[in-house]
Amino acid sequence: HNFRLPLRYKTRDNGDIELETKVTGTVSLEAHKKGINMSRIMRSFYEFRNDTFSIDKLKDILYAYKEKLNTFDSKIALKFSYPIIKKSLRSDNEGYQYYNVTLEGGLDKEGDLKKYIHFDFVYSSACPCSFELSEHAEKYRNRATVPHSQRSVARVSVRFEDMLWIEDIQELCLDALQTETQVMVKREDEQAFAEKNGAYLKFVEDAVRLLYEKLT
C-alpha cells in the first residue's frame, strides 16, 4: 500500500527536518486468509506519524504491523529527497544538494529485522578513452577537442546493523568518486570542476570498484 505524508527525520547533527515522504507498506498473510483491508496498513502507520524518524523507528512500526495486523512478515520503505548544504568548489557560494533516499526495513516471521539504505549519488563521469582521443587530436592533428563526460547516477544500497547516517553515505560516495555534480557554480567553480573531471577519469565499472572499496 502506497501513501504520502510529511515526516520528521533525525539528522547527523542532532537536529531534525520535515520531508514529504512516499511510504510503501507491505505485509504477508497466512495462506488461508483472503486478504487485508489496505487502509489498515496506513492507519497503523499513522499512529507513528508525529514521531521523529530514523531507520530504527521502522522497527517499532513493523512490530506494530505484526501484532495488530497478524502478519508473519512485513516491510516498510520510506522514499524522500534529502537536502545537504554543499559549498562551491572555489567561490564563497553554497546551496542545497538533494539526494534521493529510501529507508527500508523488513521484519521476517522469526522477528529478525533487516535494515537498508538506498542512496542515489549524481556525479560526472569523464571518459578516459575520450580524454586520450582528445589529447591525440590536439597533439597530432592540431585540433581543439572537448573530452566526453556525462551525468551519472550511482545507486548505493547498504544493509547495516548499527546506525548509519545519510550524511555518512554521501561523504563516502564523494570520497570515492570526487566528481559530484555542483549546486552553485560561478566561473571559477566551473574551472575547478573541469579540473576534477580531468584528475578523476573513470568508466562506470571504475566507479563501481571505487565505491565498493569505500563501503566495505
Side-chain angles (χ1 to χ4, degrees):
H1 185 50
N2 297 318
F3 51 95
R4 291 183 177 272
L5 72 166
L7 297 177
R8 299 203 69 80
Y9 293 89
K10 292 180 181 178
T11 62
R12 192 177 62 178
D13 61 1
N14 294 319
D16 57 69
I17 186 173
E18 185 175 287
L19 301 172
E20 182 183 354
T21 302
K22 178 183 178 182
V23 182
T24 301
T26 59
V27 296
S28 297
L29 306 175
E30 299 291 347
H32 67 276
K33 294 183 178 180
K34 292 183 178 180
I36 188 174
N37 185 322
M38 299 299 286
S39 67
R40 293 182 65 195
I41 296 177
M42 181 188 294
R43 293 201 306 270
S44 296
F45 188 95
Y46 261 54
E47 295 177 11
F48 297 87
R49 69 184 185 278
N50 294 322
D51 293 356
T52 300
F53 277 73
S54 69
I55 188 68
D56 291 326
K57 173 57 64 176
L58 295 186
K59 182 177 181 179
D60 298 334
I61 302 171
L62 289 166
Y63 274 113
Y65 278 9
K66 189 176 182 68
E67 179 181 345
K68 295 182 179 181
L69 305 181
N70 196 24
T71 66
F72 65 82
D73 68 23
S74 55
K75 292 181 181 179
I76 294 176
L78 308 178
K79 186 175 182 179
F80 50 86
S81 184
Y82 190 84
I84 297 177
I85 195 77
K86 299 293 296 179
K87 293 185 178 298
S88 300
L89 291 176
R90 284 189 179 148
S91 69
D92 294 328
N93 294 302
E94 61 181 20
Y96 281 103
Q97 186 82 280
Y98 285 84
Y99 301 88
N100 291 330
V101 178
T102 301
L103 302 183
E104 180 183 333
L107 190 67
D108 63 24
K109 58 184 177 181
E110 283 79 28
D112 295 327
L113 178 69
K114 295 179 180 178
K115 301 183 292 186
Y116 301 88
I117 290 183
H118 308 287
F119 179 86
D120 285 359
F121 185 82
V122 182
Y123 68 100
S124 175
S125 55
C127 175
C129 183
S130 176
F131 183 78
E132 291 178 2
L133 290 172
S134 296
E135 285 193 319
H136 184 277
E138 183 177 358
K139 183 176 181 179
Y140 295 103
R141 297 173 58 82
N142 196 29
R143 297 286 186 178
T145 60
V146 178
H148 170 70
S149 62
Q150 63 187 12
R151 289 170 62 94
S152 300
V153 180
R155 178 158 294 170
V156 177
S157 295
V158 181
R159 181 183 172 185
F160 62 99
E161 297 296 333
D162 298 326
M163 186 62 194
L164 180 62
W165 298 103
I166 295 169
E167 292 88 347
D168 292 338
I169 298 180
Q170 186 275 333
E171 290 173 358
L172 286 169
C173 291
L174 179 60
D175 192 29
L177 302 182
Q178 294 292 325
T179 54
E180 182 177 19
T181 55
Q182 301 299 295
V183 182
M184 298 288 284
V185 180
K186 295 179 68 176
R187 189 177 181 87
E188 58 265 39
D189 304 313
E190 186 70 26
Q191 184 184 55
F193 190 53
E195 291 172 4
K196 271 190 172 290
N197 272 279
Y200 296 98
L201 302 169
K202 49 188 167 291
F203 297 112
V204 171
E205 53 268 36
D206 296 323
V208 173
R209 295 187 187 101
L210 290 166
L211 285 167
Y212 182 78
E213 289 174 2
K214 289 294 180 181
L215 293 168
T216 54

